[in-house]
Amino acid sequence: MIVATAGHVDHGKTLLLKGLTGVDTDRLPQEKQRGLSIDLGFAYRDLGQGYSLGFVDVPGHERFIRNMLAGVAGVDFALLVVAVDDGPMPQTLEHLAILDLLGVRHGAVALSKIDRVTPERVEEVAHEVSALLENSSLSGAPVFPLSGLSGQGIDKLRVYLEDAALQMGERGAAGNFRLAVDRSFTVTGAGVVVTGSVFSGRVAVGDQLILSPRGTRVRVRAIHSQNQPSQSGSAGQRCALNIAGPDLEKSQISRGDWLVDGRVHVPTDRFDASLRVQGNETDALKHWTPAHLYLGAADVICRVAVLQDGVLLPGSSGLVQLVLDRPIGAVRGDRFILRDQSARRTIAGGTVVDPFSPARGRARPRRITWLQAMSQEKPDEALRQLLARSPAGLDLDRFAQAWNLTAEEAKNLYANLALKRIDDDSRSWGIAPAHWQAYRQSLLTAVTDWHRQKPESLGLHEYELARIVTVKVPALVLRRAITDLIEDGNLARKGSIVHIPTHGPRPSTDDLKLWAKVEPLVIGGGLRPPLIRELAADLGMELRQLEGFLNQAAQLGWLIRVAGNRYFTPEVVLALASIAETLAAEAADGEFDPRSYRDRSGIGRNLTIEVLEFFDKAGLTRRTDQGRRINTPARDIFASSAQV
Ligand SMILES: Nc1nc2c(ncn2[C@@H]2O[C@H](COP(=O)(O)OP(=O)(O)OP(=O)(O)O)[C@@H](O)[C@H]2O)c(=O)[nH]1
Ligand SMILES: [Mg+2]
């Protein structure tokens, strides 16, 4: 368990921690000199049985609130310190508001400096503080009157903290490893060490991690968890990681960076969030208000885009998009604080809803319903709703990253949902079964409509199909849908053209006109139709143009290109095939040779060779040592194209 102090300047936070742990967390010379905490201080207390308490001491002075914000992010427990001589002061209130906005639910109040006042005064402040807590996330937190100076009352608080730590146990180490860096330094002999609170997951010595958002790869050489050497560290602990990497020298590590598992290295400079405006703000939060964002240990300047109703009234909550000056690390559920432009006032706090936000259409109704689904507490319910609302499905990898799910967690989640998954090497797509059916159907409808409108074409290219269909999916999904439809016999593919299997191309009027001239000439040649060259001369056409037409006529099934320079009608091909069958049937051994074929058909020696070779290719005949025999009956091969 990690405990952060909170409270007004000089109210006795640091002295109390010294009483609890024996450690003076004011380590900077300047802090000693001024008797004031400036930066974060850290202390630990071992509870045995593998449990320990980690303390983050924050400065109370309002000038150092930025450090305070870095310190309280990611803690489990808040220790609000109020000196009874002063009673609640401005930073008591501000720190309490911050803890409330961050949703810190576990905590205790230390009423310090009781050695300075009467018991009546202690009672009075106790009441005052309890009333302050009432409408906050720390409502009902126990109150411990004590003196940091004499040590009176500290034992009771210590016992309470130890009990709380044991009760909380180890925070579930769900999610990928994320540590919010609050300090980094170099140790001679060991190298770079970074410290911070572990927000989620687990880390072990030897793990590869990424320094995010800059993306530097590092390896974990050694771990101190809660100040003890350890082989691993996990959520709810403060860790110091000794890291190494080839590019580490060059990269400046600073407070606000994250050390994360590669799966959640997804920097974002724009995210959607649910935001609550502080109740004591005087004005409504307007669209595009500039602000300071504090998330994890990072702070960055941003603009607040209000997504609904234009403004957010004091005390109210709503959806916003934060547009940041620079990328940071953030995942669904991360808590944050907004302060005003000059960073003087805490104005709001919130929770990240979707770390991956579109720049355009952020306030469209479709986007708002998406965010409402993403606002669900559990990822399975969120995914169920998103799938139901996404006719095109969604990117599952993005979803898992947004929710900081490990590969294992994601796998289990998908297994328990009705979900059609389409994966390739680079991405994983999910779509609700009903939407998948509808999408496939829309493809079929589009192809059918295409045939109706363009009967002369065989079909359409995949990219044309993708353009026509209203639901837009990634190429991988389109391809899978087409493949499935082909497998089920609903579609057919020829090259890159898809079509309904029963559809054949229909000729245009011009084609029909030309065919009316060509057909008699081809038929007129009997079993020896004219050469293409001869046809062109007869028709007065250019050879190339005629060839184009004949090729198309072949696709329409009107002609068959038997030899390189000659087209036959299917009827003539069938007649020539019958001659081969007759010859084979007449022969005792079922074989015939080119000479007998030439004599029977009368088409001449050269054409005989061409025709017989064509028959071999088409599978009608098969060559043997002596001649040829029939391989497949002519009707099975040519009858469907001939008009019989
Ligand atoms: N008499 C008395 N003095 C105390 C007590 N606790 C703290 N002090 C004194 O109050 C002064 C401030 O104490 P700190 O512990 O530094 O206060 P702090 O809350 O850490 O202050 P910041 O970190 O600057 O916000 C010091 O001089 C302490 O000795 C107490 O219980 N009784
Ligand atoms: Mg202090």
Side-chain angles (χ1 to χ4, degrees):
M1 182 166 97
I2 310 175
V3 179
T5 58
H8 197 71
V9 63
D10 256 359
H11 273 199
K13 298 179 288 295
T14 304
L15 190 62
L16 174 57
L17 278 202
K18 194 170 175 197
L20 284 167
T21 65
V23 176
D24 181 1
T25 56
D26 280 350
R27 61 207 150 75
L28 304 174
Q30 228 190 336
E31 290 179 321
K32 295 258 192 257
Q33 216 172 48
R34 293 167 67 181
L36 178 98
S37 303
I38 295 171
D39 205 350
L40 300 174
F42 307 103
Y44 301 89
R45 185 175 171 80
D46 189 5
L47 305 179
Q49 301 163 42
Y51 291 106
S52 59
L53 277 169
F55 290 94
V56 181
D57 185 30
V58 310
H61 197 289
E62 68 166 318
R63 276 196 33 219
F64 310 126
I65 191 115
R66 181 168 167 237
N67 296 337
M68 180 273 177
L69 285 160
V72 294
V75 304
D76 309 291
F77 193 103
L79 181 56
L80 182 66
V81 180
V82 185
V84 284
D85 49 355
D86 276 351
M89 295 293 278
Q91 267 59 56
T92 314
L93 303 183
E94 176 155 41
H95 286 195
L96 180 59
I98 287 169
L99 295 170
D100 179 44
L101 290 169
L102 288 175
V104 179
R105 281 177 300 116
H106 303 282
V109 179
L111 297 182
S112 65
K113 307 196 185 181
I114 56 167
D115 54 283
R116 283 192 173 170
V117 298
T118 61
E120 289 73 35
R121 172 64 185 161
V122 176
E123 273 297 296
E124 192 183 274
V125 178
H127 277 115
E128 210 179 328
V129 173
S130 296
L132 277 180
L133 295 188
E134 211 156 85
N135 288 318
S136 78
S137 61
L138 289 173
S139 157
V143 175
F144 296 88
L146 50 81
S147 165
L149 207 61
S150 70
Q152 193 196 341
I154 291 186
D155 272 345
K156 265 195 181 163
L157 173 62
R158 182 187 296 124
V159 169
Y160 181 80
L161 290 176
E162 290 175 357
D163 272 359
L166 294 177
Q167 257 175 44
M168 202 173 288
E170 249 180 273
R171 201 200 284 172
N176 301 287
F177 180 75
R178 291 174 84 221
L179 175 144
V181 177
D182 48 35
R183 227 159 34 120
S184 95
F185 46 89
T186 311
V187 176
T188 2
V192 178
V193 174
V194 299
T195 73
S197 300
V198 183
F199 273 54
S200 61
R202 192 173 272 288
V203 67
V205 172
D207 280 1
Q208 303 281 342
L209 297 175
I210 294 203
L211 195 60
S212 192
R214 71 193 71 221
T216 315
R217 290 177 176 283
V218 302
R219 191 175 53 81
V220 179
R221 291 172 62 180
I223 300 175
H224 267 65
S225 91
Q226 307 280 73
N227 219 27
Q228 297 296 318
S230 171
Q231 284 302 303
S232 65
S234 59
Q237 297 177 337
R238 283 196 52 82
C239 285
L241 305 184
N242 177 202
I243 52 174
D247 302 324
L248 201 52
E249 296 277 294
K250 279 173 267 150
S251 47
Q252 275 286 330
I253 307 173
S254 50
R255 175 174 290 174
D257 290 344
W258 291 88
L259 208 49
V260 299
D261 182 296
R263 231 177 125 79
V264 269
H265 166 56
V266 274
T268 177
D269 61 3
R270 175 188 295 277
F271 63 80
D272 293 300
S274 147
L275 191 76
R276 178 152 59 95
V277 179
Q278 268 240 69
N280 58 7
E281 278 290 282
T282 45
D283 297 326
L285 183 74
K286 291 187 198 66
H287 182 69
W288 216 239
T289 300
H292 276 265
L293 162 72
Y294 300 83
L295 189 153
D299 65 297
V300 54
I301 293 170
C302 70
R303 293 265 179 182
V304 187
V306 178
L307 299 184
Q308 289 167 300
D309 309 328
V311 295
L312 273 177
L313 296 173
S316 73
S317 302
L319 290 169
V320 296
Q321 182 172 97
L322 299 189
V323 183
L324 318 185
D325 257 17
R326 62 177 174 84
I328 61 163
V331 300
R332 163 77 182 70
D334 278 350
R335 300 276 194 155
F336 63 86
I337 293 291
L338 290 186
R339 306 198 87 218
D340 71 323
Q341 189 172 17
S342 50
R344 291 238 177 82
R345 236 171 49 247
T346 299
I347 53 177
T351 309
V352 176
V353 170
D354 189 347
F356 309 120
S357 309
R360 294 213 265 144
R362 62 183 161 214
R364 289 212 187 112
R366 247 180 69 190
R367 181 68 195 163
I368 299 295
T369 38
W370 173 279
L371 293 178
Q372 279 158 354
M374 281 292 282
S375 300
Q376 296 303 311
E377 207 179 314
K378 293 261 157 52
D380 48 356
E381 186 50 35
L383 185 55
R384 192 172 296 128
Q385 292 194 13
L386 290 177
L387 285 167
R389 289 161 196 196
S390 309
L394 57 101
D395 187 328
L396 292 176
D397 292 333
R398 273 268 141 149
F399 179 85
Q401 283 173 332
W403 284 81
N404 184 19
L405 303 176
T406 63
E408 188 69 20
E409 287 162 359
K411 208 177 98 195
N412 291 338
L413 176 67
Y414 305 152
N416 290 322
L417 282 177
L419 176 68
K420 166 82 182 170
R421 273 188 70 177
I422 301 150
D423 296 350
D424 69 4
D425 297 343
S426 61
R427 69 202 305 196
S428 178
W429 201 258
I431 184 166
H435 289 318
W436 177 241
Q437 278 313 319
Y439 180 67
R440 286 174 40 139
Q441 190 52 50
S442 73
L443 290 181
L444 277 183
T445 310
V447 178
T448 310
D449 287 351
W450 177 276
H451 287 330
R452 197 173 304 131
Q453 282 157 25
K454 294 188 174 10
E456 75 284 1
S457 93
L458 175 59
L460 69 173
H461 288 280
E462 284 183 15
Y463 69 84
E464 288 171 314
L465 188 51
R467 216 168 36 210
I468 295 173
V469 180
T470 12
V471 174
K472 303 297 176 206
V473 300
L476 131 97
V477 180
L478 171 71
R479 226 170 298 128
R480 171 64 72 81
I482 292 176
T483 315
D484 279 11
L485 286 167
I486 291 172
E487 257 171 37
D488 296 350
N490 292 312
L491 278 185
R493 190 203 308 266
K494 191 163 189 185
S496 64
I497 302 269
V498 287
H499 62 96
I500 300 291
T502 51
H503 171 83
R506 308 266 182 284
S508 70
T509 336
D510 283 351
D511 291 341
L512 286 170
K513 274 190 194 147
L514 186 52
W515 177 240
K517 293 188 207 157
V518 171
E519 190 183 20
L521 294 172
V522 176
I523 292 176
L527 295 183
R528 250 187 94 90
L531 292 167
I532 300 173
R533 178 164 41 79
E534 295 165 352
L535 263 184
D538 281 356
L539 292 162
M541 271 178 86
E542 267 199 40
L543 189 63
R544 198 171 271 258
Q545 197 192 352
L546 178 64
E547 271 182 330
F549 170 75
L550 293 175
N551 195 10
Q552 209 177 323
Q555 277 193 34
L556 288 161
W558 292 342
L559 292 173
I560 295 172
R561 185 171 202 163
V562 171
N565 53 5
R566 233 187 277 260
Y567 283 85
F568 291 57
T569 61
E571 290 74 17
V572 170
V573 171
L574 192 58
L576 289 168
S578 305
I579 295 173
E581 286 185 323
T582 311
L583 285 171
E586 286 169 6
D589 59 359
E591 289 187 7
F592 66 95
D593 57 16
R595 177 194 293 264
S596 54
Y597 191 88
R598 182 200 64 191
D599 293 345
R600 184 69 61 91
S601 66
I603 60 174
R605 187 174 164 274
N606 290 345
L607 191 53
T608 291
I609 305 287
E610 286 179 317
V611 166
L612 291 181
E613 277 174 0
F614 167 74
F615 285 156
D616 292 341
K617 251 191 288 166
L620 173 77
T621 48
R622 176 159 46 86
R623 288 187 87 138
T624 63
D625 291 344
Q626 308 301 321
R628 282 181 170 81
R629 47 173 63 246
I630 297 299
N631 187 48
T632 311
R635 287 204 153 260
D636 290 355
I637 301 176
F638 303 115
S640 62
S641 32
Q643 310 281 311
V644 288

